[in-house]
Amino acid sequence: MKTDFKFSNLCGTVYRKGNLVFTPDGNSILSPVGNRVTVFDLVNNKTETLPCENKRDIRRLALSPNGNLLLSVDELGQTLLINFRRRTVLHYFNLKDKVRDIQFSPDGKYFVVALGRNIQVWRSPGYTREFAPFELHRKYSGHYDDITHISWSPDSRFFLTSGKDMTTKIFSVNPIEGFKPTTLTGHRYAVVGSWFSKDMRAIYTVSMDGAICVRRFRPHAVEEDLTFGEFPRDEDGDLVRTVWITTERHYAMQNAKVQSAAFSWATGLLVLGFTNGVFGIWEMPDFNMVHSLSISRKKINTVAINPSGEWLAFGSSALGQLLVWEWQSETYVLKQQGHFYDMACIAYSGDGQYVATGGDDAKLKVWNALSGYCFITFTEHTSAVTAVHFSKGSQVVLSASLDGTVRAFDLVRYRNFRIFTSPTPVQFTSLAVDPSGEIVCAGCQDSFEIYMWSMQTGKLLDVLSGHEGPISGLAFRPDGLSLASCSWDMTVRLWDVFDRSKIVERLDHNHEVLAIAYRPDSKELCASTLDGQIHFWDVLKASPTGTIEGRRDIAGGRKANDRQTAENSTSGKCFNSLCYSADGTAVLGGGNSKYVCLYDRQSNILLRKFQVSQNQSLDGVQEKLNSRNMTEAGPADLIDSDGIDSDTEKHVDRSLPGVKSNDKSNRVLRPEVRTRDVKFAPTGRQWAAASTEGLIIYSLDETLVFDPFELDENVTPETIQALVRNGDYLRALVNAFRLNETYLIRQVYEAVPPTDVQLLTKDFPEAYLERLFKFIASVMETSQLLEYHLHWVSGLLSNHGTFVKTRSVKLQPVLRMLQRCILRMHQDIGTVCDKNIYSLDYLLVQGKRVQENEQESDKKVTMDDVLAASDDEDESMDVDVSQVSVHA
């Protein structure tokens, strides 16, 4: 089994805090999720999380105008310079202070950073290797309080800074004759944002109380607007005195404070986000309201506008919500929200296309594993969801909750069609569904019983009792013959749910059992205990076959309030979730720590240890703590020093003016890093973990090309191409697999005539069968030769059916991957066919209407001709043509 799993994507979390940034083409949006950056492709409907991580939560993002360089700055000023197109980190840099805002200039030559009350202008890094990519250009000061916003002029010569001192200042990048740094006043609250107009004739400033000021650049005592940057001179050649005049003052929504703002040069629209979850759009400079809408119950932390001005993006940190709104059509382009609290459990569908997650917010979400989007959210539960499971066919997902119900949801009609309840109120903590999908079992934590229902009728079939502690896990055997349950009473019990006359097998342990899992071949069972061990049992003999001591492997870091070191601490040194790989050769385990461990079952050794997060904003990531961060009021990291990282509305009582020391009792919430559930995908190519940061997906690295298999000196690309020209396709294809060059395998594969496929598959070596299936599944997603691929699959399964059946466990991941590709192609073709049928029906109806109109016109012409002819033939007859009426 391959173990080179690498971070692939982060789902379940769409926005945490910070600012949103659109790409230059306006088709994608960048959102900070913890210490990572997620890219939402709004056109292709896909998400991608960059593989690079900051040390702490990201506070600000800045993307260069050409879309090549990305700057991500965390809470303490640690900055990453990222090549956005190649997704690689170019340089690490420390700005040594908390960054309030950072913006690239429109020409991309500079970027300006707000550090507290000071401003720094840096030259943008080049694309060549440099010893010091960051070069400081100039420093600025003048504000008396923290800076809140920075914006550039369209010509990249000037920039505006707004601050909590209720002023806006104008600075120039380089000294300009006739210009001096200017201060604009007139607001009564902190200024949220300020922008130049596109023609550089006006400046718009917005304060927290909703006041919008329009300022014009004019000569002194003259009412004539000038273009800022062109300083006029008088007849003597002296500079004319110029001033900024506040010509208009407007007010927006007085019952709420302005939290965020954005302005678009392309459309001249001003967008304001308020603390009550309402946003408004105004057309400047006339301040005409376009519309306003309430999109949330919490404050809107950030607003962004794409370069064309058509799409607006909003982020709400309290709800973890990300919205993209098209204001012209008044429709949502994107509406995503993660779990409000921690994610508790996950489950893969049978084909690996969907991932279901349940959270402590009583919501069940279903995600598309390929696109990373959540396409349905079920809110019927009233308490935390503790377990989820897909039934056979992947069209029904079941969830167990602490509200005492097990609910079944239909993924075709998106409805809750079945509710399973117990005679007395209990809290369910585990769930299992038999392979046929007919029996549903759930274990509870208060009455220590297992309830069993029928999926078809919803009736309670039986209650399995015998455990003396809360039920911590349930699992049906893959062949469906028995049910395994584990409990805090230090036992694992095997139940025959179809024949209750049989004796219940009891597997005793020395500590509380936390999780169990069956091997895909149904011959082995593994269980994790509170002492950090994983025990393996032979299911048929009910005897132990091995033990893994994982206490040291799963041990995490030291928490901020721990009085003991990480090595001496006893918390979190156990596995609370286990899962076998798709082929049954490895076991994956996760617990209340930052690590997920992958063990080899045959040798019982640790293969790899994955660290799910390096975010130091989470508690328990660091192995050792710095004693200098310990103060009289507690750890310095937990003290809310500036009110940015917490909900400031809770602390309405402000200190006296001029007082710099804040209330030391204000605390910042630091979630603890942990993994509550882990699952392998049925294809075996990826696994997922429900962690504090969301649904983290690890996949096998597909970038490695050269992986030789039975290679010798005679196998070269030239010899393979010669075999193809001579018509020896079988040897050419086998040698291509030996060389393992993807382009060469595809070249030989597509060169085989369709008439020879059936004969070639008959003689194809079985040693390369798995690799050929895997190759067909990979090229089917991008190739248009659907019938050709189906010929290959049909021929291989027909000629090697016995081999596939005997090795079904090993080939199961590959076959599921192949099945998923075929089903997706079937759905796409079905959609195209349906559209074509509707189009043809429409064309046929239109053709009939045209034909009927032509026939009516022909009839009318024919009657006229008959009347004219009758007049010419018999002039003697007195026929009053005027009395003849022709009806068409």
Side-chain angles (χ1 to χ4, degrees), residues 24 124 132 163 177 223 248 261 301 308 346 365 372 440 448 450 597 754 756 772:
S124 296
E177 185 180 1
E223 294 187 0
E248 301 174 35
N301 295 82
S308 63
I346 59 176
K365 293 179 176 288
V440 179
F448 315 149
I450 302 172
C597 301
D756 296 347
L772 180 57

Side-chain angles (χ1 to χ4, degrees), residues 564-593:
Q564 295 176 330
T565 61
E567 296 178 354
N568 298 329
S569 176
T570 58
S571 63
K573 293 188 177 181
C574 57
F575 299 94
N576 56 19
S577 60
L578 292 175
C579 181
Y580 273 97
S581 62
D583 56 3
T585 59
V587 177
L588 191 70
N592 293 331
S593 74

Side-chain angles (χ1 to χ4, degrees), residues 21 289 524 664 673 682 707 730 748 751 755 758 786 829 837 862:
V21 177
M289 173 174 275
E524 190 177 73
K664 300 298 183 182
V673 59
D707 185 15
L730 181 59
V748 177
T755 55
Q758 193 70 21
L786 178 59
I829 292 176
I837 290 174
T862 303

Side-chain angles (χ1 to χ4, degrees), residues 641-764:
S641 59
D642 53 5
I644 292 181
D645 298 326
S646 64
D647 192 0
T648 54
E649 280 76 7
K650 296 180 181 179
H651 314 292
V652 181
D653 187 14
R654 306 297 183 189
S655 301
L656 293 175
V659 177
K660 296 299 181 184
S661 60
N662 295 321
D663 186 3
K664 300 298 183 182
S665 64
N666 294 345
R667 287 293 184 267
V668 178
L669 176 63
R670 290 188 62 183
E672 178 185 348
V673 59
R674 58 178 175 174
T675 304
R676 299 183 63 176
D677 198 5
V678 292
K679 284 291 188 298
F680 255 105
T683 59
R685 305 292 297 176
Q686 64 181 16
W687 59 268
S691 68
T692 308
E693 292 196 319
L695 179 65
I696 299 179
I697 299 177
Y698 281 76
S699 300
L700 288 176
D701 188 13
E702 301 291 349
T703 59
L704 298 178
V705 176
F706 187 72
D707 185 15
F709 185 73
E710 295 183 5
L711 192 61
D712 56 37
E713 59 183 6
N714 296 325
V715 180
T716 61
E718 291 77 12
T719 59
I720 294 174
Q721 293 172 358
L723 290 173
V724 173
R725 288 192 296 269
N726 296 332
D728 195 352
Y729 301 109
L730 181 59
R731 288 183 57 194
L733 188 58
V734 171
N735 288 341
F737 274 111
R738 288 180 178 177
L739 198 59
N740 203 21
E741 291 283 352
T742 305
Y743 78 95
L744 198 58
I745 296 174
R746 186 163 186 170
Q747 182 180 352
V748 177
Y749 171 80
E750 295 180 352
V752 179
T755 55
D756 296 347
V757 170
Q758 193 70 21
L759 183 62
L760 193 143
T761 54
K762 184 177 181 181
D763 299 330
F764 191 79

Side-chain angles (χ1 to χ4, degrees), residues 187 205-213 249-252 254 258:
H187 286 286
T205 59
V206 181
S207 63
M208 190 175 291
D209 61 344
I212 295 98
C213 295
R249 189 183 294 271
H250 309 282
Y251 294 91
Q254 298 300 303
V258 177

Side-chain angles (χ1 to χ4, degrees), residues 397-412:
V397 60
L398 295 99
S399 61
S401 172
L402 295 179
D403 60 4
T405 63
V406 175
R407 296 177 181 266
F409 301 93
D410 186 359
L411 294 183
V412 177

Side-chain angles (χ1 to χ4, degrees), residues 800-858:
H800 302 278
T802 306
F803 176 82
V804 173
K805 188 175 182 179
T806 55
R807 291 165 176 78
S808 59
V809 176
K810 184 178 180 181
L811 296 177
Q812 190 176 17
V814 182
L815 295 177
R816 283 182 175 174
M817 189 188 310
L818 199 62
Q819 179 189 12
R820 184 181 63 183
C821 296
I822 294 175
L823 287 176
R824 190 185 306 116
M825 295 294 293
H826 181 267
Q827 293 175 357
D828 295 342
I829 292 176
T831 304
V832 173
C833 291
D834 291 340
K835 291 182 179 179
N836 290 341
I837 290 174
Y838 301 146
S839 301
L840 290 174
D841 291 341
Y842 173 76
L843 293 175
L844 289 174
V845 172
Q846 293 298 322
K848 289 180 180 179
R849 290 182 178 177
V850 172
Q851 188 177 3
E852 292 175 357
N853 294 334
E854 291 179 352
Q855 290 177 356
E856 292 176 357
S857 61
D858 291 344

